[in-house]
Amino acid sequence: MANEHKWGMVVDIDRCTGCQACVVACQAENNIPINEEKDFLSRRAKQWIRIDRVWEGEWPNVKARFIPILCQHCENAPCEPVCPVYATYHNNEGLNVQVYNRCVGTRYCANNCPYQVRFFNFFDPEWPSSLWNQLNPDVTVRSRGIMEKCTFCVQRIRRAERTIEGQRGEELSDQKLKEGNFMPACVTACPTDTLIFGDMKDPNSEVSRRSEDPRHYKLLDKLGTDPNVVYLKKVDPHVVEEAHD
Amino acid sequence: MSLKMKLIPLALGGLLTTAVLVLVAIFVLRAWWNTPFEVFGFGEAPEQPIAFPHNQHVQIDGISCAFCHRNVTEGDAATILPVEGCLFCHATIQGDQAPPEVAKVVAYFNENRPIDWKKVHRLPDHVQFAHEPHIRFLTQVQGLSIEQSCSTCHGNVREMVEVEQVRSLKMGDCVDCHRNNQVFTENKDITDCTTCHY
Amino acid sequence: MRVSRRDFLRLASFSTLGAVACNVFDEREFIAQSPVRLPEDLVTGRDNWYATLCRHCPETEGLVVRVMEGRAKKVQGNPLYPTNLGGHSVRCEAGLQALYHPDRIAGPLTREGPRGSGLYRSIGWDEALDNLRGQLDRSDRSAVLTVTEPLRGSLAHLVSSFTSAYGGRHMAFQPMEEATYARVVRDVLGQETMPTFDIKNTQFLLSFGADFLSTWTAPVQFSKGYGEFRQGQGRERGTFVQVDSRFSMTAANADDWIPIEPGMEGKLALSIAQVIISEELVNEAVIRAMTGGQGASALDAFAPNRIAQQLGIPPLRGRGPAEVIVELARDFARHGSHSLAIGGGSAAAHTNGLFNLSAIYALNFLVGSVGTEGGIKFNPPPPISELATTLPPATTAEWRRLKGEIDNGSIKLLLFRGVNPVHGLPADIDLRDALDSDDVFTVSFSSFHNETTEMADLILPDRAFLEDWGDDIPQPGPGFEIVGMQQPVVNPLPGMSPLSFADILLRMAHELNIDSAAPLDKVTFQDVLKDHARKLHQLDRGSVREATFEAFWNRLLQQGGWWDEGAVATASLPPSPNLVDIANQAQDPRITGSRDPNTFYLVPFQSISLTDGRGAHLPWLQSTNDPITTVTWTTWVEINTAVAEVIGLKEGDFVKVEGPNGKSLTAQIYHHPAVPPEVISIPVGQGHTSDIRYSKDRGQNTLSILGLPLDEETQALAWASTRVRITKTGEREPIPKFEGIVPAFRPNEEDAIVKVTRG
């Protein structure tokens, strides 16, 4: 059963308002250490999902566009072949996996990732001891020298498989994921439903339907990475022509 | 003193160093592949705050594993019964007739103190292990009883006074089993890294 | 004892080994604890989700919280709760950190050193409550003032019952209060409860200054609607125009952003109205009714070609300002009752704020979008009368009066709960100075040290919202009757002994024998809530219907509230306002401060994470990027890139920003391509001095340099109506921001990251 899934995401950037709810939700779910001021100054802040803001035009006809960017879980991932210890690979559920205990920290993968979604632990993560109470027991706390990135909240998928498929013997669907709070943290947080997650192999799932939208495109498509994250174009009634297509 | 006389202690010293290094290397390698030599307390059952005889409770009293480890069929952790759970029976089984250790558990309850049991089974770091799917597989697919299922990894607890770890529970051990049983499960992909590592 | 060399080496090696072992292993890793007792719903390794409410911001979002082994792990939106429908904001997420914050106050404290020194001694609850009762047990009860955040639901009922039975006073505090908007809701829209906006079904949305996707009133509720407004199934994509004197996150999402000189929003709205009525784009009867019979020529003084030059609208996409206004008016009228005009935030924060908002909301009457689908949707009053009490915020003028009353001795005992007015009021009121007196006794119910708490003689830490009971009537509600329920999802950590503010009030009521009528006859706040829930149960309608009260109560908590989608507002529509009357009130904003070179309009704003400063102690909120600038952890000054280059300001330069009141702040420059050249923008919320590791001495308090400009009608703080002078200090440091941490994608047409289409 598990090998019949292909997890994917649709990101409708026409809905995205840039509110950062997904970013903090990810931080909370995945035990990402607090990005302190010094981390921003030394350019070592980590955000597995981030919202890029792109300026367009000049004052007063200026636009800021938001786009959430996370690991694209590419089918032909450039990060995978460069890893000397096979710490990153593609599994048959469509996930690009980072195995923390294999990683030796060469950072080749981050260098080779065109989307810049991999983050390296330059320091050991630290929390004041009272904040340990909040850490998610389902997610490994990564130590110094380890590469990390978005996992599509695989811990939630595994929990869903154990409870829905295993115990109840029911087929996993995006509806079931939603009901059981098993959707990735960013997807549940999003107040405008910009992010949609589900099984690309299931023709009835919302991701399958939405990825057929005429506005669909993939990030840096010409690199041929074949991502499992599909974007839907921003709509702007004032664009003179289909400028970027 | 001749050169020869000078070289003898040097050679002896070198031999000794080599021997020590080899011993250390063997120790580390054994620890890596399997369980380490039983020195420094490795491989021994740890001393528990209450000397709890598993054999008494399982063999003589006939209590099922899942009675005390009651979450084992439902959740990730097998869990240990809360102290008040011990008192289900030991509210009556206590006093002069009972072994002195029973007084301890009663005292824990009366003083409202939790018991800090020493962990016996240690998995390597970075592993997310859940009991429930294993018990489900062993009971439903392999048709074992709960007790037999537990024994698959935890050994013959029925005979043990103090429980000790009997299998290495290292990745090789896990993967052997997962590989051999892949054909029997609905989940064909149980050797994927993300089965345990995330 | 003689230690031989051999002994020494042996000891040294053992201690090294020990040190290494202790460092590497946490002792707790080797322990499997069996607790003494275990509630049925607490199973090791298994998670439970409990429904509750977020009480961090005024918009109480319905939440579900993941709890494992008695610890809250993750906060998510409650998908059933009708206002936020599963979505949530960054601010709710950080509720977890308020719960487990390392600097949280563990138990009651009494002041040891001078006020403001932060020196306190721990005392027991018995002593603390005796002390509080001793203070409350006095003859001059009118000298007792309770200050809380704006309250709703059962807590509002309890506090107002207590205050009136006891004989004291109560004031609600909200920094940058929306008193002007509240007045327009009452006078123009004729509503007692806040209306919501049916953005989901709107076709043309015109917003004036309201940062409604980020911080204004109910951003998550509006964001839910906004998502559907953009790409909902089975509808055309809506068009959204934002008129704003700063490029807010909301303006960034608009199809068209129309920059405007601060305070001119009302005149623009009248100009739009002029085009609509002179071109007769709507029904003639409506025009006649709204102009007192004058018809098409009523607003001729506001014709675009007459006033467009005053509004400071730059040429947009090659069109002049008059052309922009005419086009806007035609678009607005074309969509009829599916057009919606909203205003608030910086449009209201002027000396002419009431005029601005009256003119803006009058536009909805022109196109008939009041009380209709896709327009302004009214909310019914709460289902039971006990929950109808609201305690709206006091205006800035009232706070100024209060300062005088404290100074002249007519207020002697102050109780602060959930507010920090010393930080949140303009510095010119100087509440701190009033509290720094031996004639007043101050009690704080805060669980964190802050500028107000530091002045307190007694601190009685309240429970965090995830540990406390409560209920809420959301304002605005979703358009039908709703009661949200808040339940404790975890117990306080060992060593923490917070006590609920509501429970303390009830206990004081009993000990002082002040009243025996409901709700003060109850022992705990939970009893009060149950009493009200019983009345809800008796209605026997809505989302929770059960035979017994016990079952009803359980389902109420399980679902996170009660609502009845059929129970919508039934009151008749308010009469249309007269545009001529509004036009007669038209006036330009009075801007404080000089127009010399190097002076700019200051448009402060609430950042999406810290808002008015209530989130500054939480590290996740401090580290959240500002959506536009991506700056974190500090206060920054947004200035137009071209202007900054002309006057020689580089990014990261520290500048002194001097307000009309002579006070100044120092902050770092951020180059912003979309700030109007005449404007600078600074977020509020930083500048805390109390000893909290994540907020102490970070950035500066923007409210301190505003002076005290007030709206002339509503006496609310006109926080967007000052001009400030900036001077370079000569220092420069890198600014902590996310931008640039990951190398930017090349803005190459083929590789464009954000692809844009026409539709």
Side-chain angles (χ1 to χ4, degrees), chain C residues 283-326:
Chain C
N283 191 323
E284 206 210 319
V286 175
I287 296 177
R288 238 179 306 124
M290 287 188 68
T291 55
Q294 289 187 36
S297 62
L299 296 175
D300 276 355
F302 294 90
N305 49 17
R306 286 211 196 160
I307 66 157
Q309 296 310 321
Q310 302 170 26
L311 303 180
I313 299 175
L316 291 172
R317 286 186 282 110
R319 301 163 308 159
E323 221 178 316
V324 169
I325 298 171
V326 172

Side-chain angles (χ1 to χ4, degrees), chain C residues 206-423:
Chain C
L206 178 58
S207 154
F208 294 79
D211 202 356
F212 69 92
L213 292 174
S214 169
T215 51
W216 188 69
T217 67
V220 176
Q221 189 182 342
F222 298 150
S223 294
K224 270 281 161 191
Y226 174 85
E228 295 303 303
F229 168 82
R230 283 309 196 196
Q231 291 296 337
Q233 299 282 308
R235 57 157 292 160
E236 223 173 277
R237 182 179 188 271
T239 309
F240 166 34
V241 178
Q242 172 90 355
V243 177
D244 207 332
S245 46
R246 95 170 254 275
F247 190 75
S248 60
M249 184 188 107
T250 306
N253 286 297
D255 296 301
D256 261 322
W257 166 54
I258 300 179
I260 188 167
E261 188 147 315
M264 302 305 266
E265 290 87 349
K267 283 196 163 175
L268 173 63
L270 280 183
S271 192
I272 292 171
Q274 195 275 338
V275 176
I276 293 176
I277 61 177
S278 68
E279 296 190 5
E280 295 189 347
L281 299 173
V282 294
N283 191 323
E284 206 210 319
V286 175
I287 296 177
R288 238 179 306 124
M290 287 188 68
T291 55
Q294 289 187 36
S297 62
L299 296 175
D300 276 355
F302 294 90
N305 49 17
R306 286 211 196 160
I307 66 157
Q309 296 310 321
Q310 302 170 26
L311 303 180
I313 299 175
L316 291 172
R317 286 186 282 110
R319 301 163 308 159
E323 221 178 316
V324 169
I325 298 171
V326 172
E327 196 178 306
L328 196 56
R330 288 178 186 157
D331 282 344
F332 188 74
R334 192 174 69 240
H335 293 92
S337 66
H338 284 79
S339 291
L340 172 64
I342 62 177
S346 64
H350 284 281
T351 55
N352 62 345
L354 186 65
F355 156 69
N356 284 344
L357 291 198
S358 306
I360 292 163
Y361 283 93
L363 291 176
N364 294 303
F365 289 90
L366 262 183
V367 292
S369 59
V370 179
T372 57
E373 187 192 82
I376 298 176
K377 205 159 142 192
F378 293 136
N379 275 301
I384 56 172
S385 60
E386 282 84 353
L387 298 177
T389 324
T390 52
L391 298 167
T395 63
T396 303
E398 288 174 78
W399 293 109
R400 191 172 52 186
R401 270 200 297 285
L402 173 73
K403 149 89 168 148
E405 282 174 294
I406 301 174
D407 284 344
N408 70 25
S410 45
I411 294 288
K412 293 207 177 91
L413 173 63
L414 291 111
L415 314 176
F416 289 103
R417 192 264 184 177
V419 289
N420 183 6
V422 171
H423 180 269

Side-chain angles (χ1 to χ4, degrees), chain A residues 14 53 63 132 217 242, chain C residues 231 237 255 628 739 753:
Chain A
D14 198 31
R53 184 263 299 116
K63 298 266 180 199
W132 291 353
Y217 75 101
E242 299 267 305
Chain C
Q231 291 296 337
R237 182 179 188 271
D255 296 301
I628 305 275
E739 184 180 50
I753 286 306

